[in-house]
Amino acid sequence: MMTKIAVAAALALAFVTAQAAESIRPLRGETTASFQCRATVIPEVRQCAQACEQAGGDDARWECVHSCTTRGLWSMAQCRETGVPADAVATR
């Protein structure tokens, strides 16, 4: 199960990284709170992933990107659950 989650997270991050220049817009049916959480966390994850890409080394880079994705997904989940701004959750 964890492998499936890791693969999904890696694919999601690859998709997000590919859209790095694209602005973050609300999704159809998305609540305002959920959008605010996503809009706060995604730029941080993108920045983290870019730093990983510059670090070099295939295995280390993959682990770094995986870590960025996992932290980002966790931050968004916590933000949506608690209603606390995502930047406050990410600093914990």
Side-chain angles (χ1 to χ4, degrees):
M1 182 65 175
M2 290 302 291
T3 304
K4 289 180 182 180
I5 293 172
V7 169
L11 290 173
L13 181 64
F15 181 74
V16 168
T17 304
Q19 295 181 334
E22 188 175 318
S23 64
I24 300 167
R25 293 177 294 228
L27 301 172
R28 182 178 297 151
E30 183 176 35
T31 65
T32 302
S34 180
F35 170 70
Q36 289 173 344
C37 290
R38 201 168 49 85
T40 303
V41 173
I42 287 176
E44 295 171 4
V45 172
R46 288 177 179 170
Q47 184 178 12
C48 181
Q50 281 182 327
C52 292
E53 291 297 323
Q54 295 171 356
D58 291 335
D59 290 340
R61 183 174 49 223
W62 189 90
E63 290 293 328
C64 181
V65 170
H66 179 265
S67 176
C68 294
T69 304
T70 303
R71 284 193 317 259
L73 291 172
W74 178 255
S75 293
M76 278 194 282
Q78 291 296 103
C79 178
R80 288 173 177 166
E81 182 178 305
T82 62
V84 176
D87 56 349
V89 174
T91 59
R92 288 186 187 167

